[in-house]
Amino acid sequence: MVSEALSSPATDGGPGIVNILMDLGPACTSNAGTFRDALRLITQKLPGGGKSSNSSSSSGAIPLKEGGIARLIHFFAAVGARTKDGGSSIHNSDASLSSAFVGVLMNDTTDWNKADKTSPSDWNLDVVSQVLTDFSLSLHWPLVARSFDFPEFKVRDTRHLELLLALYSKASSGGKFSLPLEPIAGVGDWRNKEGQLTLLRALLIVTPSVYKFPLEEGEERKDAAAALVDVNSSGGGTASPSLLSSSCPNPGGFACSKVLQRLLSLSDEPKLHQSAREVLGMGLQSCPEIILCALVRLQLSNAAAMNVADTPPQQLASIRARAQAGMPLKGELMRELIPLFFSPNPKWVVKNPTGAIRRLWEISPNTVVAACVEAFKVLPTAEERAEVVAFQCNLLRKSLPNADNGALQQVVSGSKDADFAYTLACYMADNGLLDFTNWLSERTNNVGKAAVTLQSIVFLTRTYNKAKLRSTAQGDGDSVKLVLSWENLASMLRMLTMVDNETMSQVIPNTDTTLGSQGKIILERCLQMYPNIATLTNSSSSNNANSPPNQPDEIEEAANAYFQKIYASEESAREVVEMLKRFKTSGSSRENDIFACMIHNLFDEYRFFSKYPEKELRITGILFGLLIKEQLVSSITLGIALRYVLEALRKPPNQSPQSGKMFRFGMFALEQFKERLHEWPQYCSHIVQIGHLREGYAALVGEIETAMDDNVTNETREILQLLSSIKSQNRNITLVNLSELWRGSTNKQHTKFLQTNLLSGYGGGSKLNKADVDQIMHSLVFENILKETAHGFTADYVQPGSEAQSVLTGRQVFVRFAKKQKQGPDKTATTKKKDDNNDNDTTSGQHQPLAALMEQVENNYENKKCLHGVDIDRLSMADVICAEFGEEFQDAFYDDTGGGANIFDCLIAAHDATKDKFAEVWNDSAKMEIAISLLLRIGTDHVLEDNFDYARDCATIARYLEEYIAVVLKQTQAVMNWPKINEVYEADLHTLVKFFRKRIPCCCLDEKYEEVKCTPKMGYCFNKQCDFPSGIVERSKTMYCSRCRCVSYCSRECQRTHWSQHKPVCDMKAAV
């Protein structure tokens, strides 16, 4: 056994020195001299021992290094811990060295396994500590502490730790200093992670008298103080260290960042996760205040370190690793800590919650807010959530100084969870801690009117059926605990009734419902459940802390006085309405209150209208209708007013006196606001379906039906569906083309690239004439239901506008059409009818046979409409072939461009498709010039109508035919100038308008050219990887391929990049 120990390889003796000492037994520690001699001889016999720098034959120094001392301390602490009385003395003080040890020194080969071993209880640790003191000056003792990281190291219990700490302290400093924390928890990872965990656990369960963690001044000490209860204060003041809230023997260890960080890192080891969890769980049970604050502070500290500028990459990686360490365990701990502090917990009461919350608020107010929200969200019912919010509010008021003025406001305003914010605001309002109406107004300013409207609707939908008066609920300590009070319900309903129509028309995300429709539903539900809630809804808030409230009795008396003046004929209904308009927008709270009270009283009296005398009934009906006409009621309140009128109109006038009075009230009211009926077509449809109204008031029903004729809501929705179908085929379209498709055009200039059989709404407007369609389209653009968006440097494409969704989900659309005059059967009327219903109208950008084309040209000539250079005297039926040629060439051109071919191939394909049938045109420059003039005429009209896509097509074909005449027929140039043709095909507006303006003799395009001449001329880079968007670049910066002159580039780099793709084409084009 001794020989095996001697041959055990290890630095500074390794386990060999310990094994030999165990074999020698306690006799070697009988006195200091004996122990020194034993250590000296053992280290000299160990491999490499004689070469130690600490060994000297003259001085007799013991050649032990830091690793060996660490093993000796651990060994003697372990054997001492196993003795009954601590092992501080020996029983056989005169005992000599064992025979085994002598045998080793004398090279004896006796089998020492049979030698007698003395009891470990005889080890004299006083002698050991005395001898180890010899090394106090020659060794680096922090390294000794770091050297505890050897495979056999393990702290078995607190007695073992106490002896280890005592031996280390006495040996290193004569008992003045304790074991340093940095080597065992701060710097680097231990190889023996399990041993490190046992050491940290033991340090945490001994008292500070045994080991006191070296906490940093400031943050760590403040965290540790969170577990101290102030015996002289109930939640405020400075913590007194005299009373510890927890049963943790050494809570300061959990406040130490190094220890906490190391425990979290060790928890990432699968084999140690549960053990590390148990150590932190021990802190969770005994000092949760410290665990909560220390965890949050550590996480924020790591996050702040990651955001420091100019941090070296290696250091940043280390910081990131620290921040990510123990994330699963941190999540587990926070899930247990949050309900422990932020929810009422009768099973486990924290002894110092106020101190912990005060410290946590100092570390991070946002974390307090987030924790409150988290504790709130896990609860399933509104009652439980209201209870936890009340608990949190009271906790914050106890924990934080001036919480009522600052902290609570920060919590209720800083929360991003709307449900929590509304619940807390309601509780605070019920207990006089804030003005709920002002809070709603401030929240509207912060997050937006639409967002607050939606949040209010959602909150009321969940809680409206639990509303109670504040006076009926009293919680602990005279506090009011309600899910929702009537007062707060009234404030939210009042806010909803004041939201403008534009906001209410917005669609709720991920639904097809508007805010207005949902608001109306919740208001009706509230009025059904709480009929008297309107009294509170239409009154101003009386809880404003900054101004004295108006007295309800005084406001009621003033409102009644105005009604008396109306019924006494002292003031007319119109005069009172004008007064109410002033009161509604007045800055005076009293006048606002009177306005709200009068509206409420009028609505509340509706159920008694059937008992009114005729005079008062007539005045009331007129007043009611004027309120609607002058828009003094809006949104949800407007919906209720219209419903009241409709219900009154449905009452049979001759059934009973009461029914007749209600019908007459409805008629008086309707007469006042009938000019607004076109705004509510669905409402109109309900009115015209009333049988006794149609029979006795046919003229009124006729007016309403006329108002309904101007409703184009269904047509608008059809147009939007058509646009959506076009978008689904990945195509853009102009307003003119959209109009023609809705009219059902079959012309390829409008239908190219589109599968018309899949277009929803295609041809839906075929029964309307072009003028009405244009009026509808321009009205939709004006109302932002459609919008025209510039697309690069080409056309203005049409897109759904900001109001499109509101139309799809309920908004009505109206267009005031001009009254149509009946025409006689004269030639002009006949021609007009043809123009309106024939899709071959050239001004609409469509093809037509030459006969129809010539008839149109002649009509234009007779009507003095400009023909843009078409010579009427040269046109004859013999030139029909020119128009037919142009039509078929265009069809062939569109067929290829629709397949995605490039412009060069499309034109060649169109040439091949028409060269045999129209050889007469291809061989006659005069006929080709006629075809070109017709193309220029059509293209010019396209430009004037802002139909730029089809104008480009006309220009491209015209330019190609011009090049063909120059190269083939007249031979004035050698080759086709393909870049110029492509330039027209990709033309910006400046280039396009200039192309037609140069070729027509009239000045029709002068005004259009003045509009676009300031826009830069754009070219195209054929390199698909070009940095310019879509390859569009100013033409002055482009360069053509000098070999084929068919492509252009923005730079030499783009040309080189594209050469591998362009070379085959270039070779072919150059050969041609």
Side-chain angles (χ1 to χ4, degrees), residues 273-378:
H273 177 81
Q274 187 58 35
S275 298
R277 175 69 175 83
E278 291 174 358
V279 174
L280 285 167
M282 176 179 63
L284 185 66
Q285 295 180 3
S286 58
C287 53
E289 302 92 341
I290 296 177
I291 295 291
L292 174 65
C293 297
L295 270 177
V296 173
R297 179 178 51 78
L298 179 64
Q299 188 69 11
L300 293 177
S301 175
N302 287 332
M306 291 177 63
N307 293 326
V308 175
D310 301 327
T311 303
Q314 187 174 2
Q315 184 179 351
L316 185 61
S318 176
I319 295 172
R320 187 177 291 110
R322 288 203 306 271
Q324 295 297 323
M327 289 299 290
L329 183 54
K330 279 188 280 192
E332 293 177 31
L333 294 173
M334 291 305 295
R335 282 191 291 273
E336 294 187 37
L337 285 165
I338 287 175
L340 190 62
F341 284 91
F342 295 92
S343 298
N345 194 333
K347 296 182 179 179
W348 190 356
V349 179
V350 179
K351 295 183 180 180
N352 189 23
T354 56
I357 299 303
R358 186 163 52 250
R359 170 60 182 151
L360 188 60
W361 184 269
E362 181 183 353
I363 295 171
S364 171
N366 290 337
T367 301
V368 176
V369 176
C372 289
V373 173
E374 189 64 27
F376 171 88
K377 289 169 62 177
V378 298

Side-chain angles (χ1 to χ4, degrees), residues 1023 1040-1042 1049 1051-1059:
N1023 177 23
Y1040 294 105
C1041 174
S1042 59
Y1049 301 98
S1051 64
R1052 293 188 181 278
E1053 289 73 15
C1054 280
Q1055 183 182 21
R1056 294 191 188 100
T1057 302
H1058 191 246
W1059 174 244

Side-chain angles (χ1 to χ4, degrees), residues 68-364:
I69 295 297
R71 287 177 180 272
L72 287 177
I73 292 174
H74 176 261
F75 166 70
F76 284 113
V79 297
R82 287 198 294 267
T83 64
K84 294 180 180 179
D85 59 354
S88 61
S89 61
I90 62 171
H91 298 290
N92 300 321
S93 59
D94 295 330
S96 60
L97 292 175
S98 69
S99 57
F101 182 69
V102 175
V104 172
L105 296 180
M106 301 302 295
N107 294 321
D108 193 349
T109 59
T110 305
D111 184 3
W112 299 103
N113 289 327
K114 298 179 181 179
D116 293 335
K117 305 293 190 298
T118 57
S119 171
S121 63
D122 294 331
W123 295 94
N124 192 331
L125 298 188
D126 290 336
V127 171
V128 173
S129 63
Q130 180 182 351
V131 173
L132 291 181
T133 307
D134 297 344
F135 299 91
S136 61
L137 298 178
S138 60
L139 297 178
H140 184 58
W141 283 94
L143 182 56
V144 173
R146 185 65 176 83
S147 298
F148 284 132
D149 181 16
F150 56 85
E152 298 81 14
F153 180 84
K154 182 179 181 181
V155 178
R156 294 174 176 82
D157 50 36
T158 57
R159 181 58 180 160
H160 186 185
L161 176 68
E162 290 172 5
L163 292 175
L164 184 144
L165 294 174
L167 286 173
Y168 181 91
S169 177
K170 189 169 183 181
S172 61
S173 61
K176 296 179 181 180
F177 304 113
S178 183
L179 183 71
L181 187 62
E182 185 72 15
I184 62 175
V187 178
D189 292 331
W190 277 33
R191 292 187 296 274
N192 181 10
K193 291 180 170 34
E194 184 177 2
Q196 186 182 30
L197 183 57
T198 63
L199 175 58
L200 293 176
R201 181 183 183 280
L203 290 173
L204 288 166
I205 62 177
V206 298
T207 62
S209 62
V210 177
Y211 184 81
K212 186 175 182 180
F213 284 91
L215 300 181
E216 296 178 358
E217 290 289 341
E219 300 300 320
E220 291 184 353
R221 290 186 182 274
K222 289 180 181 179
D223 289 348
L228 302 177
V229 178
D230 183 1
V231 295
N232 298 318
S233 175
S234 59
T238 305
S240 169
S242 61
L243 183 60
L244 191 63
S245 74
S246 68
S247 59
C248 179
N250 205 352
F254 291 107
C256 180
S257 299
K258 295 183 178 66
V259 173
L260 191 58
Q261 182 69 58
R262 184 54 53 192
L263 289 172
L264 292 172
S265 299
L266 291 172
S267 72
D268 289 334
E269 297 290 331
K271 294 181 179 180
L272 300 180
H273 177 81
Q274 187 58 35
S275 298
R277 175 69 175 83
E278 291 174 358
V279 174
L280 285 167
M282 176 179 63
L284 185 66
Q285 295 180 3
S286 58
C287 53
E289 302 92 341
I290 296 177
I291 295 291
L292 174 65
C293 297
L295 270 177
V296 173
R297 179 178 51 78
L298 179 64
Q299 188 69 11
L300 293 177
S301 175
N302 287 332
M306 291 177 63
N307 293 326
V308 175
D310 301 327
T311 303
Q314 187 174 2
Q315 184 179 351
L316 185 61
S318 176
I319 295 172
R320 187 177 291 110
R322 288 203 306 271
Q324 295 297 323
M327 289 299 290
L329 183 54
K330 279 188 280 192
E332 293 177 31
L333 294 173
M334 291 305 295
R335 282 191 291 273
E336 294 187 37
L337 285 165
I338 287 175
L340 190 62
F341 284 91
F342 295 92
S343 298
N345 194 333
K347 296 182 179 179
W348 190 356
V349 179
V350 179
K351 295 183 180 180
N352 189 23
T354 56
I357 299 303
R358 186 163 52 250
R359 170 60 182 151
L360 188 60
W361 184 269
E362 181 183 353
I363 295 171
S364 171

